């Protein structure tokens, strides 16, 4: 794993954008795996700024997001499709039909997940996958479990995730209880992975995920087995990992 310890959130965002732009500039067509959550917002702003300054363009891009709430459609303001439109897709020149988010409005979970997994395969897999890190070690919506789920699947969100994500809803009762998410196998099949985490509230899980045992109880710990991972942290999230600072 390559660790990048940045002085602050802006530098972390810039570093993540540079790694993704490196892949974008290396080939004419490429597939990006994208994430939601508050951590990547600064990184998306860098990508948007660079696209507007014509440093990069998204003409060759196909994108797949990690996850989506089950039971809400893409026009719902709290859906991850809506988030992506607001923070990235709506601000760049990209073919919308090349942007993919699991279909949270499809009530048939097996159908929605199988279609998504197949679409990733048919696109030739993911060149670079961006990840955030949940407080309980989740990546995408792969929650702590007894085993690592392989493929895109429907998951019951844990109470801690429902509580963490309720800040974005008017009331905790509105937070969907389930989501469709890429599996750990789907994520690990990406040729390259970039994971971003910032703030002191992530320091404990950073230590457990990257310096503790590999276990499905901490889903992000599996990344220790991936051959090409960049972990981008700020000083606060790296603070409890003694070997980093
Ligand atoms: C959500 C998303 C994850 C994200 C996590 C952390 O649960 N499903 O993909 O990594 O939140 O979010 P944040 O970056 O806001 O801490």
């Amino acid at each position: 794993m390559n660790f990048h310890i940045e002085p602050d959130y802006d530098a972390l965002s810039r570093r993540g954008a540079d790694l993704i732009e490196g892949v974008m500039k290396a080939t004419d067509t490429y597939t990006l795996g994208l994430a939601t959550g508050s951590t990547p917002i600064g990184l998306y702003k860098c990508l948007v700024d660079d696209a507007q300054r014509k440093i990069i363009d998204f003409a060759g891009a196909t994108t797949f997001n990690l996850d989506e709430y089950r039971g809400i459609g893409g026009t719902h303001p709290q859906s991850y499709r809506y988030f992506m439109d607001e923070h990235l897709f709506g601000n760049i020149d990209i073919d919308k039909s090349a942007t993919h988010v699991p279909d949270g409005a499809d009530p048939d979970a097996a159908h929605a997940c199988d279609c998504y997994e197949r679409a990733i395969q048919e696109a030739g897999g993911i060149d670079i996958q961006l990840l955030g890190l949940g407080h309980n070690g989740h990546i995408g919506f792969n929650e702590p479990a007894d085993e690592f789920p392989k493929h895109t699947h429907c998951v019951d969100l844990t109470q801690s995730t429902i509580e963490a994500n309720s800040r974005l809803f008017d009331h905790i009762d509105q937070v969907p209880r389930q989501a469709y998410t890429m599996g750990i196998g789907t994520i690990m099949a990406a040729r390259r992975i970039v994971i971003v985490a910032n703030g002191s509230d992530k320091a404990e899980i950073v230590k457990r995920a990257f310096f503790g045992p590999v276990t499905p109880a901490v889903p992000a710990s599996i990344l220790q087995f991936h051959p090409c991972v960049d972990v981008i942290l700020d000083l606060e999230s790296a603070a409890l990992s003694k070997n980093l600072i």
Side-chain angles (χ1 to χ4, degrees):
M1 304 180 109
N2 303 314
F3 286 92
H4 308 264
I5 314 302
E6 304 295 340
D8 55 31
Y9 179 70
D10 286 348
L12 171 151
S13 300
R14 186 64 256 169
R15 173 77 68 180
D18 285 346
L19 292 175
I20 290 171
E21 290 181 17
V23 171
M24 294 172 67
K25 288 172 181 166
T27 51
D28 291 339
T29 59
Y30 49 82
T31 300
L32 306 178
L34 301 175
T36 55
S38 45
T39 315
I41 289 175
L43 186 160
Y44 291 145
K45 189 168 184 321
C46 291
L47 294 181
V48 169
D49 288 347
D50 289 348
Q52 287 174 353
R53 290 159 58 212
K54 311 268 184 233
I55 293 169
I56 51 167
D57 72 69
F58 287 82
T62 299
T63 73
F64 288 92
N65 263 77
L66 283 165
D67 47 14
E68 179 60 281
Y69 290 116
R70 183 185 189 199
I72 59 178
T75 55
H76 189 292
Q78 258 56 261
S79 73
Y80 286 168
R81 162 61 76 179
Y82 192 98
F83 173 102
M84 291 308 300
D85 287 345
E86 187 181 1
H87 292 288
L88 186 64
F89 303 147
N91 306 321
I92 56 174
D93 192 9
I94 191 167
D95 175 4
K96 280 284 175 64
S97 68
T99 68
H100 306 272
V101 180
D103 184 3
D106 184 346
D108 183 341
H111 178 260
C113 295
D114 291 351
C115 287
Y116 203 67
E117 190 73 25
R118 200 174 325 115
I120 295 171
Q121 305 303 327
E122 286 171 3
I126 290 168
D127 291 310
I128 187 164
Q129 175 67 55
L130 175 63
L131 299 173
L133 179 63
H135 288 102
N136 59 7
H138 73 229
I139 46 177
F141 266 134
N142 291 279
E143 298 280 34
D146 294 333
E147 55 187 27
F148 292 111
K150 283 202 182 90
H151 303 303
T152 303
H153 60 290
C154 182
V155 67
D156 294 330
L157 302 182
T158 63
Q159 189 57 28
S160 74
T161 298
I162 292 167
E163 284 166 13
N165 291 5
S166 67
R167 70 188 192 280
L168 303 168
F169 290 78
D170 290 337
H171 193 276
I172 193 166
D173 290 345
Q174 295 172 350
V175 184
R177 269 36 185 178
Q178 290 185 310
Y180 300 145
T181 180
M182 284 187 196
I184 293 293
T186 326
I187 293 168
M188 288 293 280
R191 289 179 268 286
R192 187 166 182 182
I193 291 175
V194 174
I195 182 162
V196 288
N198 77 297
S200 55
D201 57 315
K202 295 284 175 75
E204 180 64 33
I205 194 61
V206 162
K207 183 173 85 170
R208 288 176 62 206
F210 305 128
F211 300 100
V214 174
T215 164
V218 183
S221 65
I222 192 76
L223 299 175
Q224 295 180 39
F225 288 158
H226 192 282
C228 193
V229 180
D230 288 278
V231 182
I232 312 179
L233 306 171
D234 69 345
L235 285 169
E236 290 185 348
S237 63
L240 295 180
S241 303
K242 296 277 179 272
N243 29 351
L244 287 180
I245 50 174

